[in-house]
Amino acid sequence: MGDAGTLPAQKRSITSAEHEELLDIIDKIRSQGISRYIDLPQIVVCGDQSSGKSSCLEAICGLRFPTGDGLCTRFATEYILRRCSDSSVSISIVPDTERIDSEKFKLQSFQPSTTDLDCFPEIIEEVARCMGIGQNGKTFAHDVLRIEISGPTQGHLTLVDLPGLFHSSSKSHTDGDKDAVFSLVASYIARPRSIILAVVSAKNDLNNQAVLNFAREHDPTGVRTLGIITKPHTLSSNSPSEQAYLEIAKNNDVKFDLGWHVLRNRSWEEQASTADERDRTEQSFFESGTWRALDVKNKGISTLRVRLSKILYNHILSELPSLLKDVEAGLTECSERLETLGSSRGTVEEQRMYLLRASQKFVSLMTAAFDGTYHDSFFGSSVSVEGYQKRLRAVSVAILKDFAEDMRLKGHAVELVDKLPSKYKHEARTPRKTTRDDFYDQVQFRMRRNGGRELPGLFNPSIVGDLFSDQAKPWSRIVAGTKDALLEAAHTCVGLVLDQAADEATIDGILHEIVNPGMESLERSLSDKVEEVLTLNLKRHPFTLNHYFTENIQRKRVEQTRKDMGNRLHEFLGVSPEAEDAKDRRYEGSFDVRQLLNALVKQTESNMDRFAAIECVNAMLSYYKVSFKTLIDAFGIYAVEACLLSKIPSVFTPETVLKLDDSAVQAIAGESQESLTERESLTKKLLILKDTQKILHRLDRHKGNRMATCKQPRDPSPATPEGGSDDESDSRTSGDSHC
C-alpha cells in the first residue's frame, strides 16, 4: 500500500482541460442565479459543531477560518477553487430571495475592505455585519457568501459550507437558532443533485453526531454521501475506538456508495503551523500506526482534493440529461406564463388588445374542449384529474351515460315482481318493489274510482296518464342532479381555460364582467329547456305515434296471457309448460303440454276487470319505455348540447371585448403591480434559463464525445508500480474515471 502524500505529479494535477471547462461552466451558470429555479450539482459540507468541519475546509481551500465564535458558520458559503496562471480572489454576497429590494441591493453591492486571505476572519466579520447578523437578535442568515479563489496551485473544485449542527441551546444559541440551522442545512442536502460531505469527529461517538442521521434522512440509500472522519489522532493507538473508526473508514460499518475519507487536521497546539507543515504532519501520521493499513486514496488532504473533484465532475455528467430536462420544463412553464401575462399594458389600447388575445385563446381552447379535440398541450394528460376536467366533451358524455343508467335503474317509482324477496325493505331513491297482483288490484281500484263511459273490459284512457305520472316521478330529481353536475363540470373547465388564457389578476375582472353573466344566461336557458323537456314528457296527456308502443303492448299481452294460461294448466294437469326438460312438459307421456298452451293462448280470455287492469298497466309500461327513451335523447340533445355545451365558447369572444367601453376595459385589464413584478421576474428567469439551456446542450454534446472516447480501445496500461495506489491505475485505464 502506498503512503499518503507520495502521489506522482500527474495525480496532483487532477483536472483535464475538459474537466476544468465543465466545472467553470457550471459555476458560471450558478453565478447567473439559476439555482433559484433549478437545482445544480454541488458538494455541500455539513457536520456537527466542533466536528472539525472548518479545519477540513481550511485544508481543502487553503484559508484560515475565524476561531472562537465562528461567525463563518452562521451562513452558507460557496467556495469556488480554480487553477489558472494568475492569482485572484473575488468575494460577493448572493442575497436571500426573500429579502426586500433595498436589502438585496445593499448585499449585492458589498465590497470587503480587503481580499487578502490572510485577513479572512476580518472579511467574515464584515460579511456578517452586512447580512445583519448580531443585529436585532439575528444569529443566522439565508444569504450566501461566494468566494472565488484562482491560482496556479489551486485545484478545480466547488464546495458549499453550511453552518454546524448543534443539539441543544446555550448562551450563544437558542432553540430557534437550532431550528434555523437545521432548516438551512436541510434546504441544501435535501436537493437530489447535492453531494453530501458529512463530516464526523473521531473524538465523539458516531451515534451521537446529528449529521449522520440528517444525511440518512435525506439520502436513505447513501448514494450521494461521502463521509469524512476528522481528528483520528485523538484516538488511543490500537484502542477499540480506533479500530471501530478504521472499519468505518473502510466502509464496512456505516456504508455509503461514495465511501469514507480520513483527515488529520491541526490540533489546537498546531494552529500556527503553515499549510505545508500541516500536510507533512498528516502524511507522517498516516504512514504509521493503524491508519497505515487504510488505502492511500481514502486518507489525506491531497487525495481528498482529487477525490472530490472527480466526484463532482462525474456527478455533473450523470445529471446532465435530467438537468437539461428540468431547464426545458422551466422554459416551457415560464414561456406559457409570460404568454398568459402578455406584454405590458399601460394604455386602454394595450389593455383591449390583451383582452382580445385572451378571448381568442379562450374560444380556441373552449371549442377544442367542446369538440373533443385535445391536441393542444393545455389539455395535458387525461390520467390526471385536471387533465380530465379540461376535456369537457369527455366529462359531459360520462355524466350523460351515468344519467341514462340512473334513469334505467332508478327512473321508475315501482318495480313489478312476481314475488317479494324475503325481509324486503325499501331503500330511499330506488324503485319500490310491488307484486303484480297487488299492483293490478290498485289499478282496478283506481279504475272503479275513475270510471267513465267505457264499456266493460275497457278502461278510461286518463288512467294511463295518472299511472305514468306516478311511475315517472323520479325523473325530475335525476334530471336536476344531472343538470347540476354538468354545470359544475362546465364551470370547472371554463375556470381552467381562463387560467391559461389570462393572468390571475385579470381573470377576476373577466369573470365578474363577462364570463359569469354569460354563464348565468346559459344556465337560465338550460333550465328553461329542461323544464320544457320534462313538461312535454310528464305533464301532458300521453301521446305517441311510435310503433314501439303498440309492439310493446302486443308483446306484454301475449306474455301475460301465456303466463296466466300456463299457471292454470299447471294447476289442472300438474305439469308445467315452462319446464326446461321436454320430458317434464309431457302429460302422462301422451302429448306436449306446451303445444296445448300455444293453442289455448289464442282463444282464452280472462276476467274482464282484471283484463282491463292488465291492459291498462301494459299500456302505461309501454308508454313509459317510449317516453323514457325520448326524454334521455331530448335532454342530451336539446337541453345539454344545444343550450349549454355548444354555447360556452361564446361567453368570452373578441366581439364581446370590442363592445366594451374604455372604462370597462380598464377595470378588467388594468395591470396590477403584482403583474408588473411577475412579468419582470419571469423575463429575467427566461433569459437565465435560455442561457443555461444553450450551455447545457453544449455540455451534453461534450459528454457524448467523452463517452465515445472512453469506449475506444486502449493499449494495455503497464502494471501498477509497487507501492503505487489503485487510484493511479484506475486513472490510466479509464480516463481519470471521468466517464
Side-chain angles (χ1 to χ4, degrees):
M1 187 70 64
D3 294 333
T6 60
L7 295 173
Q10 67 267 27
K11 291 303 291 183
R12 292 195 298 270
S13 179
I14 61 175
T15 56
S16 64
E18 294 93 342
H19 191 151
E20 293 178 3
E21 180 190 13
L22 177 62
L23 297 181
D24 282 339
I25 289 174
I26 291 294
D27 280 331
K28 179 182 177 182
I29 294 173
R30 182 181 282 107
S31 67
Q32 291 176 336
I34 190 65
S35 298
R36 281 176 289 173
Y37 316 117
I38 304 292
D39 288 337
L40 290 177
Q42 59 187 354
I43 295 177
V44 295
V45 186
C46 55
D48 291 19
Q49 285 191 348
S50 303
S51 63
K53 182 168 64 70
S54 295
S55 297
C56 174
L57 284 165
E58 282 185 1
I60 296 172
C61 304
L63 300 176
R64 281 300 186 125
F65 281 42
T67 58
D69 195 25
L71 282 175
C72 61
T73 62
R74 294 179 182 263
F75 45 82
T77 305
E78 290 182 3
Y79 295 97
I80 298 94
L81 312 179
R82 291 294 178 265
R83 178 180 288 110
C84 65
S85 56
D86 298 325
S87 297
S88 65
V89 176
S90 174
I91 299 174
S92 59
I93 298 175
V94 180
D96 177 22
T97 55
E98 299 300 319
R99 292 271 195 180
I100 61 176
D101 289 343
S102 59
E103 292 177 344
K104 286 181 180 178
F105 179 77
K106 175 186 174 184
L107 293 171
Q108 289 169 340
S109 304
F110 170 77
Q111 292 290 335
S113 58
T114 179
T115 57
D116 184 355
L117 296 182
D118 290 336
C119 301
F120 191 61
E122 290 79 5
I123 295 172
I124 291 297
E125 290 181 3
E126 290 180 13
V127 171
R129 284 196 298 272
C130 185
M131 291 181 180
I133 293 175
Q135 303 170 17
N136 301 321
K138 184 173 184 178
T139 52
F140 292 90
H142 284 267
D143 311 299
V144 178
L145 173 62
R146 183 179 176 89
I147 302 175
E148 301 177 58
I149 307 170
S150 302
T153 61
Q154 283 294 350
H156 253 62
L157 187 62
T158 299
L159 299 169
V160 181
D161 178 30
L162 301 175
L165 303 169
F166 55 91
H167 300 264
S168 58
S169 59
S170 63
K171 290 183 179 180
S172 57
H173 300 313
T174 66
D175 287 336
D177 294 336
K178 174 186 173 182
D179 294 339
V181 170
F182 271 74
S183 174
L184 177 61
V185 174
S187 69
Y188 276 87
I189 68 174
R191 301 172 189 175
R193 293 195 180 100
S194 289
I195 295 293
I196 303 171
L197 206 63
V199 181
V200 299
S201 170
K203 200 172 183 178
N204 300 323
D205 188 281
L206 197 65
N207 295 324
N208 295 331
Q209 303 190 55
V211 66
L212 283 187
N213 289 332
F214 217 48
R216 287 194 192 97
E217 179 182 346
H218 297 286
D219 179 28
T221 58
V223 294
R224 54 186 181 89
T225 302
L226 173 66
I228 302 291
I229 300 172
T230 64
K231 306 181 183 180
H233 58 288
T234 62
L235 299 170
S236 298
S237 181
N238 296 318
S239 66
S241 296
E242 187 180 55
Q243 290 298 321
Y245 268 102
L246 179 63
E247 288 302 304
I248 293 171
K250 291 180 178 179
N251 211 26
N252 293 333
D253 188 351
V254 180
K255 295 186 178 181
F256 296 131
D257 281 14
L258 298 178
W260 287 81
H261 203 95
V262 187
L263 294 179
R264 194 280 189 200
N265 293 317
R266 297 181 182 91
S267 64
W268 178 258
E269 295 77 14
E270 299 166 347
Q271 291 300 307
S273 62
T274 65
D276 287 340
E277 289 172 342
R278 176 241 172 255
D279 292 352
R280 286 195 296 271
T281 300
E282 181 184 62
Q283 179 180 342
S284 176
F285 174 77
F286 285 131
E287 285 176 347
S288 60
T290 300
W291 298 101
R292 181 179 177 84
L294 185 64
D295 195 320
V296 67
K297 65 184 179 183
N298 295 333
K299 59 187 178 184
I301 189 61
S302 59
T303 53
L304 178 61
R305 295 189 188 109
V306 175
R307 195 172 179 183
L308 291 178
S309 187
K310 284 185 178 181
I311 287 172
L312 181 58
Y313 178 81
N314 292 332
H315 186 56
I316 290 171
L317 287 183
S318 67
E319 288 292 327
L320 276 181
S322 65
L323 189 60
L324 185 56
K325 186 181 295 184
D326 287 353
V327 170
E328 290 171 344
L331 273 171
T332 300
E333 180 183 355
C334 192
S335 299
E336 289 177 351
R337 186 59 187 154
L338 278 171
E339 182 182 353
T340 299
L341 286 174
S343 56
S344 180
R345 46 187 194 272
T347 66
V348 175
E349 289 75 15
E350 290 173 340
Q351 292 160 6
R352 194 182 297 276
M353 184 57 66
Y354 173 81
L355 288 179
L356 284 171
R357 285 194 293 266
S359 65
Q360 289 169 344
K361 186 75 170 177
F362 178 87
V363 171
S364 173
L365 291 177
M366 206 70 246
T367 302
F370 163 68
D371 287 340
T373 53
Y374 314 123
H375 306 306
D376 196 283
S377 60
F378 159 76
F379 293 100
S381 170
S382 61
V383 177
S384 68
V385 174
E386 186 173 291
Y388 176 59
Q389 290 173 334
K390 294 174 180 178
R391 292 161 162 78
L392 184 58
R393 170 60 60 187
V395 175
S396 59
V397 167
I399 292 174
L400 288 173
K401 283 183 177 179
D402 290 341
F403 163 68
E405 186 69 2
D406 279 348
M407 287 287 288
R408 185 181 70 82
L409 297 176
K410 303 175 183 178
H412 46 289
V414 175
E415 180 180 344
L416 300 183
V417 295
D418 293 328
K419 182 180 179 181
L420 287 176
S422 60
K423 298 181 180 180
Y424 169 70
K425 183 179 180 181
H426 175 242
E427 297 180 5
R429 298 198 171 188
T430 61
R432 182 182 295 277
K433 294 183 186 296
T434 303
T435 63
R436 296 181 189 276
D437 288 338
D438 286 346
F439 193 70
Y440 294 152
D441 289 341
Q442 295 172 25
V443 173
Q444 282 184 250
F445 175 78
R446 294 178 72 161
M447 288 171 60
R448 287 195 297 271
R449 290 294 182 94
N450 202 40
R453 295 184 176 184
E454 63 275 4
L455 296 173
L458 302 178
F459 55 86
N460 190 330
S462 65
I463 295 180
V464 175
D466 292 343
L467 291 175
F468 170 74
S469 295
D470 291 343
Q471 183 73 335
K473 277 183 179 179
W475 287 10
S476 295
R477 172 180 54 79
I478 295 173
V479 167
T482 304
K483 182 188 74 172
D484 291 343
L486 286 162
L487 286 172
E488 182 180 354
H491 279 288
T492 299
C493 185
V494 166
L496 292 170
V497 170
L498 278 178
D499 286 342
Q500 183 73 8
D503 66 87
E504 186 175 351
T506 311
I507 287 174
D508 290 338
I510 294 173
L511 282 171
H512 184 266
E513 298 294 334
I514 302 174
V515 172
N516 285 346
M519 290 298 293
E520 288 169 4
S521 176
L522 293 187
E523 289 180 30
R524 288 193 296 270
S525 175
L526 175 65
S527 297
D528 291 345
K529 183 59 68 173
V530 167
E531 185 62 29
E532 180 184 338
V533 169
L534 286 172
T535 299
L536 289 173
N537 285 276
L538 290 177
K539 301 178 182 179
R540 62 174 176 80
H541 186 75
F543 175 81
T544 182
L545 297 176
N546 194 322
H547 66 86
Y548 183 61
F549 171 72
T550 54
E551 289 175 0
N552 261 299
I553 288 181
Q554 293 169 5
R555 188 182 305 113
K556 288 185 178 297
R557 284 174 180 169
V558 172
E559 289 174 356
Q560 186 61 44
T561 303
R562 185 183 186 88
K563 182 178 180 181
D564 289 344
M565 294 306 301
N567 290 337
R568 293 185 182 186
L569 284 171
H570 185 247
E571 291 174 4
F572 183 76
L573 299 174
V575 178
S576 173
E578 301 299 338
E580 294 293 332
D581 194 329
K583 294 179 180 179
D584 296 333
R585 298 197 298 265
R586 302 190 69 83
Y587 175 68
E588 296 182 354
S590 57
F591 61 85
D592 189 326
V593 179
R594 180 179 289 178
Q595 293 176 353
L596 174 62
L597 172 63
N598 290 338
L600 292 174
V601 163
K602 300 176 182 178
Q603 303 172 13
T604 307
E605 295 182 355
S606 301
N607 173 275
M608 286 188 299
D609 288 342
R610 194 65 162 187
F611 176 81
I614 293 172
E615 285 288 286
C616 181
V617 171
N618 287 342
M620 181 272 288
L621 294 177
S622 298
Y623 183 73
Y624 177 90
K625 285 189 175 182
V626 172
S627 190
F628 163 85
K629 296 176 182 295
T630 302
L631 176 76
I632 290 175
D633 288 342
F635 175 71
I637 297 171
Y638 300 114
V640 176
E641 194 78 12
C643 296
L644 178 65
L645 299 182
S646 65
K647 294 293 196 308
I648 292 179
S650 66
V651 300
F652 181 36
T653 64
E655 290 78 8
T656 306
V657 174
L658 290 173
K659 292 177 182 178
L660 295 172
D661 58 38
D662 289 353
S663 60
V665 170
Q666 285 180 315
I668 296 171
E671 195 164 21
S672 64
Q673 183 59 45
E674 290 80 3
S675 180
L676 290 169
T677 302
E678 184 182 8
R679 182 184 292 102
E680 182 181 354
S681 175
L682 286 170
T683 302
K684 182 178 179 182
K685 177 180 177 180
L686 189 67
L687 291 174
I688 293 174
L689 287 171
K690 283 182 176 179
D691 288 344
T692 301
Q693 184 188 41
K694 291 177 183 177
I695 294 170
L696 290 179
H697 273 304
R698 187 167 73 247
L699 288 180
D700 203 34
R701 290 192 293 271
H702 159 80
K703 177 186 176 184
N705 293 336
R706 291 285 296 157
M707 293 300 293
T709 302
C710 290
K711 292 178 181 179
Q712 292 176 358
R714 296 173 179 266
D715 294 333
S717 59
T720 304
E722 185 177 355
S725 74
D726 294 337
D727 200 32
E728 295 175 52
S729 176
D730 291 344
S731 172
R732 288 191 294 270
T733 58
S734 62
D736 287 338
S737 301
H738 296 162
C739 301

